[in-house]
Amino acid sequence: MLGFVVRGRRGGEAAADTAHRPAGWVRTRLRANSPAALLMAALAFVTVFLAAAFPRVADRGADTALQDFVGRNGLNQTSLQLASRTREGDDAAELDRVQRELTELVGRQLALAPSGRAHGTRALGDHGMGNPEYVRIAEKRTDPVLALLHLNDLAARATLTDGTWPTPAAPGAPLPIVISKKAAETIHIKLGDVIDNGVEGSGARRTTVVVGLYQVNDPQDPAWDDLGCPARACLRADPAHEHWATSGFVDGGSLPALARWGSTAENFWRLPVDTSSLRADRLDRLHGILRSFLTGRDATALARTTGRLDLHTTSGLPDLLTRADQRHRAVLPLSTIGPAGVAGVATVVLFLAAALGTDRRTAEIELLRARGGSLAGVLRRLIGEGAVTVLPAAALGTALALVLLPTPRWGPSVLAALAATLIALLAFPLRAAALWSRRGAVGTRRAAGGRRRLVGELAVLAVTAAAVAEVRRRGVGTGAGLDPLLVAAPFLLAVTGGLLLARTEPVAVGRLAALAGRGRGLIAFLGLSRAARDNSGRRKPSALPLLALLIAVTTTGFGATVLDTVDHVRTRAARIATGGDIGVSLPGYATLTAPFTEAAGALPGVRASTAVWVEPQARFLSADRNYTEAYLVMVVDPAAYAEIARTLGAGEFDPATLAGTPGGRDTPVPALVSRDLAERLATGPAQVRTPNGNDLPLALAGTVSATPALPDPGKPFAVVPAGPAWEHLPDAKRVNRWFAVGDVDPEGVRAALRTNGGAQPVGLAKLVADDATAVGKDTHGLPAGYTVHSSRETAAALADDPLQHAAGRLFWYAAAAGAGFALLAVLLTLLRAAPDRTALLARLRTMGLRPRQGLALIVTEALSQTLAAALGGALVAVAAVALLGGAFDISALVGVRVGEVITPVPMPVLLPTAGLTLLAGLAVVAETLVAGRRQIATELRAGEQP
């Protein structure tokens, strides 16, 4: 019985030991302060999500920009064009076989578009149509020209309207063809006509017979672009002999006869690349594949597999990809600065959160160390505790970014997420380790720690100065790509500014507190005094909150300045290209009427306008009788033209310099000339000779580097007043340009031009206009060649670029994320100081402090640092623009090649700075109203419970 009892007692003791086994560390700590664990998990989730999202947003923008840029260049430029000589025995079946083999071989390495493929045969020699009844242009009387092709599956691209599709050619008979019904109507070709195409080398007649007429289903389909003129009769305006031209098609069984008709023929295969499959991160690989197909191993394999050793491949795609890559590399530094700033602010916030946790758990950690806990053991426990909260949140944030922002490239996102996860996981243990090191640093060690901080700050300052100097020295050209130094330079300036501000801000705030102490109120004095010290009241406050705010303000201000500069430069470039805010240009045969210039000048918003005649074929003769080809610009209203030039900043001049008075044939006309022309005409009196042989004497009144009528002249020019010039050149009394500045609606100008347009073209000019109309070049109901240019529309067209949109979108995402982290830094700073501040306010409340005064005290304490950081960030942003603006090439963002550099502008910096400051102030007030009052009430009730 005793043994049984003993065994029973032992079993009871074992059960008791199991019941009182200590709980796990991680579970205990998470239960002890679950809100802190949840907040840390939320912070890790947001940080890791953003770290994984930004690379994917950048990838999506780069891919979209690449696909759009390449796709806009048309089907033929984005295709592989393969060709070989036509051989005896070639027919449609043989071409189909080669097409299938080429598609299979090329499709293994390149994604091919499902539509736009074409193959066939073209005769390499075009021949005239000598039938006397066919239409010829009256001025030259040149025979219309016929080009012949075979196109696979023509019946799917065109509809037969008359006759039949062609059949194989019979020996000795004319070659059966089909042509466009529109071409037949223009040239007067009839169904069944036997067309005389001249004489072959052997002396035999070369003939074709029209067996059918067709209508192209979609004349604007880019698949027709490299097939001659299949939809209509095209006007070939060769100065030597203007003539009509069209294309006809033969049957697939007539390829040998087609080769004999054209003296030789070429088989062709077009394989369009699917532009939607292009990826910016695989451009190098794609370049290698294209080189191999054009001149490398794959080109040899294609020739060997198809059995056509003369097969050769051409494509415009390599050049397009090179240009797209250069554009992407030019924008990359500008689009990376924003995410780099967010990374810096997020890192600071994570360390602020670690500092808050360390302050809250200092006593607990020191107790663990005092009870024999080793440094490594305690750190392992802290890392394990953090892993439970950080790792699941980080995994969820990474997965969410990968799902919400799908791109084929995932490596950079995962690496960025891993880096953010490590920082979130190790920030608290590293902060705790630093705390233990600082606790042991007493006496001379404290002085050594101060010296180490000074040395570290001086090192950061030296690195920043070296980086800025190097960036300014070498600059960055278009296509330079991602330059880590260029990206890091604004961030280093922000860090240096934050460190300097951390040194100077407590001193400045302390001086303000001393000044406030001389007054009667205590709120300002107490708030500023606390802002100049940390929670202990002895040392300077932490530099981390200042650093977070200053980095956010600096990077946002810098990026906003870049985008604002881009907008202004784009607007100016559009105005210069237009010659004002609005402009009208006519073809050489037309003249602007006086009713139009009067009606257009009276439109709402027109500030200054003038009509102009531009003569592109003038010759300027110097005193030594040497002539120079140049433009002659005759201005109707020199004063208005001077205002336009002043508004554009292109060729400004005093209108009095062109104030000439009508005189005789020997009275010189004042002229503003380009600088290169002024040097050639400096030897003495000069005159200009127009194409009709009339001479105009000139008197040099000044030189200008540009003029609104000729934004990119390419050769010398002279600007003269039209009134005196017309006294010498009465036959030149007409205008073909009109310019204006002001907020003008282009539709109003187009309506005035439609109502009061110039003379309609006749003769060859009418044929040219009708030919342009046939291909859809006329717009807004205006005749061909009549164009209304609007700087507003031009700027919108330049800005319609996915590459620019992606860069701007990425920056604003980064700015919003940086502002959010900066606000979080402010709140964490408030939470860190909350216990000490609450105790102070509770004690002051017992001495009669009113709640409103308590709120004023908290706002004064918190906003002094916020305002200092905002002001410092604005100054650093302006300094960064002034120091680094010249190193950035903004041409890719503008849309055209420009020479302007980024310069400091107040408003783009002040607006985000003021907004961030306002948000920080609202956050302080909200935190005080929500949490501060409850904390004070709790502090006042301390000791009430027994």
Side-chain angles (χ1 to χ4, degrees), residues 526-548:
L526 288 176
L528 293 174
S529 298
R530 288 179 53 80
R533 296 173 176 83
D534 71 347
N535 296 341
S536 65
R538 295 187 300 272
R539 293 172 298 172
K540 297 177 181 179
S542 172
L544 291 180
L546 278 174
L547 196 59

Side-chain angles (χ1 to χ4, degrees), residues 96-107 302 305-307:
D96 292 344
R97 179 193 67 81
V98 176
Q99 172 78 1
R100 289 192 297 270
E101 293 179 348
L102 292 175
T103 302
E104 180 182 358
L105 292 173
V106 176
L302 291 177
T305 302
T306 59

Side-chain angles (χ1 to χ4, degrees), residues 215-279:
Q215 181 177 348
V216 171
N217 295 338
D218 183 9
Q220 304 302 323
D221 187 349
W224 297 107
D225 290 349
D226 62 341
L227 299 178
C229 192
R232 59 189 176 86
C234 302
L235 180 65
R236 303 303 186 200
D238 187 342
H241 52 283
E242 293 87 357
H243 62 275
W244 293 110
T246 191
S247 298
F249 293 93
V250 303
D251 181 72
S254 303
L255 301 190
L258 176 64
R260 289 191 297 271
W261 183 90
S263 301
T264 184
E266 177 185 76
N267 300 325
F268 64 88
W269 297 268
R270 180 176 63 211
L271 301 178
V273 176
D274 184 7
T275 58
S276 64
S277 67
L278 299 179
R279 288 171 50 181

Side-chain angles (χ1 to χ4, degrees), residues 619-628 680-681 683 687:
R619 290 187 173 187
F620 288 78
L621 285 75
S622 59
D624 55 6
R625 309 308 295 173
N626 290 325
Y627 71 87
T628 301
R680 301 178 189 180
L681 303 182
T683 56
Q687 61 182 9

